[in-house]
Amino acid sequence: MEDGAKPVTKSGDVEVMDGSDIMELVENEKVFSNFVDHKFRDLDRDCDGHLSVKELQPAVADIGAALGLPAQGTSADSDHIYAEVMKDIFIDGSKILVYIYNRTVNIVLSAFTHGKERKVSKTEFKKVLSDFLIGMAAGLKRDPIVILRIDGEDLLEFIDSPGFEPEMISIFSELDIPNGSLIEYINKAFEKLTVDKGMPPVLDSWVTSNIIAPALESCGIDQGQPVSQETFLVEFKKVAETVAERLKDQPVIVAHSENTFDGTGIRRLLSNKFELEKALDTTVKSMPKDPHGRISKNCVRVALDQIASSAGLPPIGAVYQMDEVVSESCKMFDVDDGKLVKEDEFKKILTEVLGSIMLQLEGNPISVSTNSVVHEPLTSASTLLQPSSM
């Protein structure tokens, strides 16, 4: 693979993004320096030896596309997340893959410029870009993202399998649509099918308008016919076969990720005293303190967010089920009472909260699966990580 190429390893119609090629680029000092020189020169339009915010913006905006990620603006439902979790340039790359959008650009720009309207030197550009890419690679190594090409073959295989009818009967029995039409039942049933059955996320507007709606229209379903299990099975199969044919002509690229939070990461951290103390020291050092060096217990949630990656936890705000577990543990130790405590006491509270979260997760693990349609071609050119100018 060429230096600077997109970090994926291909396996048929599946591509696994594990960050290995990002690290290969960053760890080769000669190649990475040459890479930065060329990119800096390309971006420095006025040739003054520094990059303005305006000059940086297209490069930052293109980081996602360069890595084969969903285009900006495609995950509006997660608009709140980066405002909470991207407090540091060393961020969780796996979340970028699912949630990258316009706000990312503004926050990463702020990391380059330290939130000020000023220009960036080549040294600063190299350092922040290196940290950014290493952060992405670390997240991808821990939680690889699988890029799937859904072309109708798996859906046809499911339709022709012995399990199709029992599965659809089960789905039909779960649907509760008062006075619903047959088309409404079919649409809802498609929402129940996942990528393992060869179905892209139907709630994506492009999938709905370009795959589902045309398939329904071409099948000419009678809106007036009564809805029964038998009618549903016959008509759904007909539409599903048409959907599979449309996917064959218009394959859909989906970024798929799965995470299970079972407390293993916390237990590993708590059992390693050296790593635990190192993580606590780094976290506490960044906490605001009063003139006497004391820290408010209100900062525990912020501290948890900072130590999350070391404990195998998602950033605060990324997984709502995890937020509930964190809130429950914080209540147990009255972290919202606003009391000021010394650093050692703060570390003790933070460790106890982590232990509480661990016990909750060991008893009730949280599994999260995310599918996001990638609206840009994986082979699209990028202005940031494209190797051609080298």
Side-chain angles (χ1 to χ4, degrees), residues 7-78:
V8 295
T9 54
K10 295 192 174 183
S11 175
D13 289 338
V14 176
E15 299 180 358
V16 180
M17 305 177 70
D18 61 4
S20 58
D21 288 324
I22 302 179
M23 291 306 300
E24 191 176 326
L25 169 66
V26 176
E27 290 176 348
N28 189 320
E29 177 60 30
K30 183 179 178 181
V31 172
F32 187 61
S33 295
N34 190 33
F35 170 75
V36 170
D37 287 343
H38 280 80
K39 293 307 169 187
F40 192 90
R41 190 162 56 245
D42 289 344
L43 294 168
D44 188 13
R45 297 298 182 186
D46 59 7
C47 300
D48 68 348
H50 291 79
L51 299 180
S52 65
V53 170
K54 186 176 181 180
E55 289 171 326
L56 275 169
Q57 198 155 9
V60 177
D62 198 51
I63 285 176
L67 298 174
L69 309 180
Q72 296 173 22
T74 60
S75 294
D77 58 327
S78 55

Side-chain angles (χ1 to χ4, degrees), residues 51-104:
L51 299 180
S52 65
V53 170
K54 186 176 181 180
E55 289 171 326
L56 275 169
Q57 198 155 9
V60 177
D62 198 51
I63 285 176
L67 298 174
L69 309 180
Q72 296 173 22
T74 60
S75 294
D77 58 327
S78 55
D79 187 61
H80 66 288
I81 291 174
Y82 270 113
E84 295 295 328
V85 306
M86 291 185 65
K87 300 179 178 75
D88 192 304
I89 191 62
F90 197 80
I91 52 181
D92 185 342
S94 62
K95 300 304 176 293
I96 296 176
L97 291 169
V98 180
Y99 301 120
I100 189 166
Y101 64 106
N102 288 332
R103 189 169 293 182
T104 312

Side-chain angles (χ1 to χ4, degrees), residues 125 217 226 253 267 287-288 376:
F125 178 73
E217 186 177 350
I253 307 300
R267 181 168 292 282
M287 294 295 105
E376 295 294 328

Side-chain angles (χ1 to χ4, degrees), residues 16-258:
V16 180
M17 305 177 70
D18 61 4
S20 58
D21 288 324
I22 302 179
M23 291 306 300
E24 191 176 326
L25 169 66
V26 176
E27 290 176 348
N28 189 320
E29 177 60 30
K30 183 179 178 181
V31 172
F32 187 61
S33 295
N34 190 33
F35 170 75
V36 170
D37 287 343
H38 280 80
K39 293 307 169 187
F40 192 90
R41 190 162 56 245
D42 289 344
L43 294 168
D44 188 13
R45 297 298 182 186
D46 59 7
C47 300
D48 68 348
H50 291 79
L51 299 180
S52 65
V53 170
K54 186 176 181 180
E55 289 171 326
L56 275 169
Q57 198 155 9
V60 177
D62 198 51
I63 285 176
L67 298 174
L69 309 180
Q72 296 173 22
T74 60
S75 294
D77 58 327
S78 55
D79 187 61
H80 66 288
I81 291 174
Y82 270 113
E84 295 295 328
V85 306
M86 291 185 65
K87 300 179 178 75
D88 192 304
I89 191 62
F90 197 80
I91 52 181
D92 185 342
S94 62
K95 300 304 176 293
I96 296 176
L97 291 169
V98 180
Y99 301 120
I100 189 166
Y101 64 106
N102 288 332
R103 189 169 293 182
T104 312
V105 177
N106 297 330
I107 295 174
V108 177
L109 278 173
S110 179
F112 273 115
T113 62
H114 304 289
K116 300 175 182 177
E117 287 294 325
R118 69 178 189 83
K119 294 193 172 186
V120 176
S121 69
K122 187 192 293 186
T123 301
E124 291 172 311
F125 178 73
K126 180 180 180 181
K127 175 65 170 65
V128 175
L129 182 59
S130 173
D131 285 350
F132 185 88
L133 294 177
I134 290 172
M136 275 190 166
L140 288 168
K141 183 178 180 180
R142 184 175 60 252
D143 302 312
I145 300 298
V146 179
I147 303 297
L148 306 170
R149 183 177 183 271
I150 299 181
D151 58 8
E153 289 188 16
D154 289 341
L155 181 57
L156 281 175
E157 186 177 323
F158 168 61
I159 294 169
D160 294 335
S161 72
F164 173 75
E165 189 168 308
E167 176 92 10
M168 297 318 300
I169 290 174
S170 175
I171 288 175
F172 179 79
S173 67
E174 294 173 4
L175 298 177
D176 183 18
I177 311 175
N179 302 315
S181 67
L182 185 54
I183 287 182
E184 287 176 310
Y185 271 87
I186 290 173
N187 274 322
K188 285 294 182 183
F190 272 122
E191 291 179 18
K192 299 285 187 178
L193 296 184
T194 54
V195 293
D196 63 314
K197 299 292 192 296
M199 195 66 210
V202 299
L203 294 180
D204 181 89
S205 59
W206 189 93
V207 174
T208 299
S209 59
N210 290 275
I211 304 294
I212 305 298
L216 285 166
E217 186 177 350
S218 67
C219 288
I221 294 174
D222 182 5
Q223 288 270 35
Q225 63 180 312
V227 180
S228 66
Q229 179 179 290
E230 184 179 354
T231 305
F232 168 79
L233 285 173
V234 172
E235 297 299 331
F236 182 86
K237 184 174 184 179
K238 189 191 305 180
V239 177
E241 288 172 339
T242 306
V243 165
E245 286 301 314
R246 294 194 68 84
L247 287 171
K248 184 177 179 181
D249 295 332
Q250 302 180 76
V252 177
I253 307 300
V254 175
H256 174 74
S257 67
E258 293 183 7

